[in-house]
Amino acid sequence: MTRRQIWGIAVAAFVAGGALGFAVAVVQEDESPSVTVGAQRPAESVVPTTREGLVDAWTAELRRAGKELPPGWEALTTDEIRGRYLHQRMVNAPAAEDIDPAMGRPVDE
């Protein structure tokens, strides 16, 4: 055999091996776990995005607490109003005892 024939056989074997490997990879079943999808987020935020909406929501939360808008609130930036609205919303949130009065009792009772 000549060098050219040996190289030809080597290249043909290499190509055939690559083709066989590709065929096996394509046919082989994928054993990776299926992809899971988490809960979808709401399409719209529950927090208003406009200044007017934030002022309305903040006013409603303050009324629930028996308060009014502070003097000079008009000078606040939209981000400051958003922060105060979210804070008031947290303050107005019910405590665990208000939701379930038995929540504080020991489990074995």
Side-chain angles (χ1 to χ4, degrees):
M1 283 187 150
T2 65
R3 273 190 156 169
R4 189 173 282 201
Q5 289 175 333
I6 292 173
W7 276 106
I9 291 171
V11 169
F14 182 75
V15 170
L20 180 62
F22 179 75
V24 168
V26 169
V27 174
Q28 184 178 10
E29 270 189 53
D30 185 17
E31 295 179 9
S32 61
S34 59
V35 176
T36 58
V37 177
Q40 290 184 339
R41 295 181 180 183
E44 293 182 19
S45 174
V46 294
V47 177
T49 55
T50 64
R51 182 179 177 89
E52 183 180 343
L54 285 166
V55 170
D56 291 343
W58 184 29
T59 304
E61 289 295 330
L62 287 171
R63 282 191 189 132
R64 283 183 51 206
K67 300 178 182 177
E68 294 180 2
L69 288 171
W73 68 268
E74 296 91 352
L76 296 173
T77 65
T78 303
D79 285 337
E80 290 171 328
I81 293 172
R82 180 179 296 108
R84 290 185 182 210
Y85 159 66
L86 292 173
H87 176 263
Q88 189 62 48
R89 206 168 130 185
M90 293 293 288
V91 169
N92 289 353
E97 295 80 22
D98 295 337
I99 296 171
D100 183 4
M103 199 165 204
R105 72 176 179 357
V107 177
D108 57 337
E109 285 186 11

